[in-house]
Coordinates of all heavy atoms in Angstrom, one line a residue:
Chain O
I105 N -2.6 47.0 -10.3 CA -2.2 47.5 -11.6 C -1.1 48.6 -11.3 O 0.0 48.6 -11.9 CB -3.4 48.1 -12.4 CG1 -4.4 47.1 -12.7 CG2 -2.9 48.9 -13.6 CD1 -5.7 47.6 -13.3
D106 N -1.4 49.4 -10.3 CA -0.4 50.5 -9.9 C 0.9 49.8 -9.5 O 2.0 50.3 -9.9 CB -1.0 51.3 -8.8 CG -2.2 52.0 -9.1 OD1 -2.5 52.2 -10.3 OD2 -3.0 52.4 -8.2
K107 N 0.8 48.7 -8.7 CA 2.0 48.1 -8.2 C 2.8 47.5 -9.4 O 4.0 47.6 -9.4 CB 1.5 46.9 -7.3 CG 2.6 46.4 -6.4 CD 2.1 45.4 -5.4 CE 3.2 44.6 -4.8 NZ 2.7 43.6 -3.9
A108 N 2.1 46.9 -10.3 CA 2.9 46.3 -11.5 C 3.5 47.4 -12.3 O 4.7 47.3 -12.7 CB 1.9 45.5 -12.4
R109 N 2.8 48.5 -12.5 CA 3.4 49.6 -13.3 C 4.5 50.2 -12.6 O 5.5 50.6 -13.2 CB 2.3 50.6 -13.7 CG 1.2 49.9 -14.6 CD 0.2 50.9 -15.1 NE 0.7 51.7 -16.2 CZ 0.6 53.0 -16.2 NH1 0.1 53.7 -15.2 NH2 1.1 53.7 -17.2
A110 N 4.4 50.3 -11.3 CA 5.5 50.9 -10.5 C 6.8 50.0 -10.6 O 7.9 50.5 -10.5 CB 5.1 51.1 -9.1
A111 N 6.5 48.7 -10.8 CA 7.7 47.8 -10.9 C 8.2 47.8 -12.4 O 9.0 46.9 -12.7 CB 7.2 46.4 -10.5
G112 N 7.6 48.6 -13.2 CA 8.1 48.7 -14.6 C 7.4 47.7 -15.6 O 7.9 47.5 -16.7
I113 N 6.3 47.0 -15.1 CA 5.7 46.0 -15.9 C 4.4 46.7 -16.5 O 3.5 47.1 -15.8 CB 5.3 44.8 -15.1 CG1 6.5 44.2 -14.5 CG2 4.6 43.8 -16.0 CD1 6.2 43.2 -13.3
P114 N 4.3 46.8 -17.8 CA 3.1 47.4 -18.4 C 1.9 46.5 -18.2 O 2.1 45.3 -18.2 CB 3.5 47.5 -19.9 CG 4.9 47.2 -20.1 CD 5.3 46.4 -18.9
V115 N 0.8 47.1 -18.0 CA -0.5 46.3 -17.8 C -1.5 46.7 -18.9 O -1.8 47.9 -19.1 CB -1.1 46.6 -16.4 CG1 -2.4 45.8 -16.3 CG2 -0.1 46.3 -15.3
M116 N -1.9 45.7 -19.6 CA -2.9 45.9 -20.7 C -4.2 45.3 -20.2 O -4.2 44.2 -19.6 CB -2.5 45.2 -22.0 CG -1.3 45.8 -22.6 SD -0.9 45.1 -24.2 CE 0.2 43.8 -23.7
I117 N -5.3 46.0 -20.4 CA -6.6 45.6 -19.8 C -7.4 45.0 -21.0 O -7.6 45.6 -22.0 CB -7.4 46.7 -19.2 CG1 -6.5 47.5 -18.2 CG2 -8.7 46.3 -18.7 CD1 -6.2 46.7 -17.0
F118 N -7.9 43.8 -20.8 CA -8.7 43.1 -21.8 C -10.1 43.0 -21.4 O -10.5 42.5 -20.3 CB -8.1 41.7 -22.0 CG -8.9 40.8 -23.0 CD1 -8.8 41.1 -24.4 CD2 -9.7 39.8 -22.6 CE1 -9.6 40.4 -25.3 CE2 -10.5 39.1 -23.5 CZ -10.4 39.4 -24.8
D119 N -11.0 43.5 -22.2 CA -12.4 43.3 -22.1 C -13.1 44.0 -20.9 O -14.2 44.6 -21.1 CB -12.8 41.8 -22.1 CG -14.3 41.6 -22.1 OD1 -14.9 42.2 -23.0 OD2 -14.8 40.8 -21.3
R120 N -12.5 44.0 -19.8 CA -13.2 44.6 -18.6 C -12.5 45.9 -18.2 O -11.5 45.9 -17.5 CB -13.2 43.5 -17.5 CG -14.0 42.3 -17.9 CD -13.9 41.2 -16.8 NE -14.9 40.2 -17.1 CZ -15.4 39.4 -16.2 NH1 -15.1 39.5 -14.9 NH2 -16.3 38.5 -16.5
Q121 N -13.1 46.9 -18.7 CA -12.5 48.3 -18.6 C -12.3 48.7 -17.1 O -13.3 48.6 -16.3 CB -13.4 49.3 -19.3 CG -12.7 50.6 -19.6 CD -13.7 51.4 -20.5 OE1 -14.9 51.4 -20.3 NE2 -13.1 52.0 -21.6
I122 N -11.1 49.2 -16.8 CA -10.9 49.7 -15.4 C -10.6 51.2 -15.6 O -9.6 51.6 -16.2 CB -9.7 49.0 -14.8 CG1 -10.1 47.5 -14.5 CG2 -9.4 49.6 -13.4 CD1 -9.1 46.6 -14.0
T123 N -11.4 52.1 -15.1 CA -11.3 53.5 -15.3 C -10.8 54.2 -14.0 O -10.6 55.4 -14.0 CB -12.6 54.1 -15.7 OG1 -13.6 53.8 -14.7 CG2 -13.1 53.6 -17.0
T124 N -10.6 53.5 -13.0 CA -10.2 54.1 -11.7 C -8.7 54.3 -11.5 O -8.3 55.0 -10.6 CB -10.7 53.3 -10.5 OG1 -10.3 52.0 -10.7 CG2 -12.2 53.4 -10.4
T125 N -7.9 53.7 -12.4 CA -6.5 54.0 -12.3 C -5.9 53.9 -13.7 O -6.5 53.4 -14.7 CB -5.8 52.9 -11.4 OG1 -4.5 53.3 -11.2 CG2 -5.8 51.5 -12.0
K126 N -4.6 54.3 -13.9 CA -4.0 54.3 -15.2 C -3.5 52.9 -15.6 O -3.0 52.2 -14.7 CB -2.8 55.2 -15.1 CG -3.2 56.7 -15.4 CD -2.2 57.3 -16.4 CE -2.7 58.6 -16.9 NZ -2.2 59.0 -18.2
S127 N -3.7 52.6 -16.8 CA -3.1 51.3 -17.4 C -2.5 51.7 -18.7 O -2.6 52.9 -19.2 CB -4.1 50.3 -17.5 OG -5.2 50.7 -18.3
D128 N -1.8 50.7 -19.4 CA -1.1 51.1 -20.6 C -1.9 51.0 -21.9 O -1.6 51.6 -22.8 CB 0.2 50.2 -20.6 CG 1.1 50.5 -19.5 OD1 1.9 51.5 -19.5 OD2 1.0 49.9 -18.4
L129 N -2.8 50.1 -21.9 CA -3.7 49.9 -23.0 C -4.9 49.2 -22.6 O -4.8 48.1 -21.9 CB -3.0 49.2 -24.2 CG -3.9 48.9 -25.4 CD1 -4.4 50.2 -26.1 CD2 -3.2 48.1 -26.4
T130 N -6.1 49.7 -23.0 CA -7.3 48.9 -22.7 C -8.0 48.6 -24.0 O -8.2 49.4 -24.9 CB -8.3 49.8 -21.8 OG1 -7.6 50.2 -20.6 CG2 -9.6 49.1 -21.5
S131 N -8.4 47.3 -24.1 CA -9.1 46.9 -25.4 C -10.4 46.3 -25.0 O -10.6 45.3 -24.3 CB -8.2 45.8 -26.0 OG -8.9 45.3 -27.1
V132 N -11.4 47.1 -25.4 CA -12.8 46.7 -25.0 C -13.8 46.9 -26.1 O -13.7 47.6 -27.0 CB -13.3 47.6 -23.8 CG1 -12.6 47.3 -22.5 CG2 -13.2 49.1 -24.1
A133 N -14.9 46.1 -25.9 CA -16.1 46.4 -26.7 C -17.0 47.3 -25.9 O -17.8 48.1 -26.4 CB -16.9 45.1 -27.0
G134 N -16.8 47.3 -24.6 CA -17.6 48.1 -23.7 C -18.8 47.4 -23.2 O -19.7 47.1 -23.9
T135 N -18.8 47.1 -21.9 CA -19.9 46.3 -21.3 C -21.2 47.2 -21.3 O -22.3 46.6 -21.5 CB -19.5 45.8 -19.9 OG1 -18.8 46.8 -19.2 CG2 -18.7 44.6 -20.0
V136 N -21.0 48.4 -20.9 CA -22.2 49.3 -20.9 C -22.8 49.4 -22.3 O -24.0 49.3 -22.5 CB -21.9 50.7 -20.4 CG1 -23.0 51.7 -20.6 CG2 -21.4 50.7 -18.9
E137 N -21.9 49.5 -23.3 CA -22.3 49.6 -24.7 C -23.1 48.3 -25.2 O -24.0 48.3 -26.0 CB -21.1 49.8 -25.6 CG -20.6 51.2 -25.6 CD -19.6 51.5 -24.4 OE1 -19.5 50.6 -23.6 OE2 -19.0 52.5 -24.4
I138 N -22.6 47.1 -24.6 CA -23.3 45.9 -25.0 C -24.8 46.0 -24.5 O -25.7 45.6 -25.3 CB -22.6 44.7 -24.3 CG1 -21.3 44.4 -25.0 CG2 -23.5 43.4 -24.3 CD1 -20.5 43.4 -24.3
G139 N -25.0 46.5 -23.3 CA -26.4 46.7 -22.8 C -27.1 47.7 -23.7 O -28.3 47.5 -24.0
Q140 N -26.4 48.7 -24.2 CA -27.1 49.7 -25.1 C -27.5 49.1 -26.4 O -28.6 49.3 -26.9 CB -26.2 50.9 -25.3 CG -26.0 51.7 -24.0 CD -24.9 52.8 -24.1 OE1 -24.1 52.7 -25.0 NE2 -24.9 53.7 -23.1
I141 N -26.6 48.3 -27.0 CA -26.9 47.7 -28.3 C -28.0 46.7 -28.1 O -29.0 46.6 -28.9 CB -25.6 46.9 -28.8 CG1 -24.5 47.9 -29.1 CG2 -26.0 46.1 -30.1 CD1 -23.2 47.2 -29.5
A142 N -28.0 46.0 -27.0 CA -29.2 45.1 -26.7 C -30.5 45.8 -26.6 O -31.5 45.4 -27.2 CB -28.9 44.3 -25.4
A143 N -30.4 47.0 -26.0 CA -31.6 47.8 -25.9 C -32.1 48.3 -27.3 O -33.3 48.2 -27.5 CB -31.3 49.1 -25.0
D144 N -31.2 48.7 -28.1 CA -31.6 49.0 -29.5 C -32.3 47.9 -30.2 O -33.3 48.1 -30.9 CB -30.4 49.5 -30.3 CG -29.8 50.8 -29.8 OD1 -30.5 51.5 -29.1 OD2 -28.6 51.1 -30.1

Side-chain angles (χ1 to χ4, degrees):
Chain O
I105 297 170
D106 297 341
K107 195 173 166 186
R109 297 184 77 231
I113 303 164
V115 179
M116 294 185 269
I117 306 296
F118 177 73
D119 185 49
R120 299 176 165 207
Q121 198 170 43
I122 296 176
T123 58
T124 51
T125 192
K126 275 226 169 208
S127 56
D128 295 277
L129 174 63
T130 301
S131 175
V132 287
T135 38
V136 173
E137 285 82 353
I138 287 170
Q140 290 168 345
I141 295 171
D144 290 340

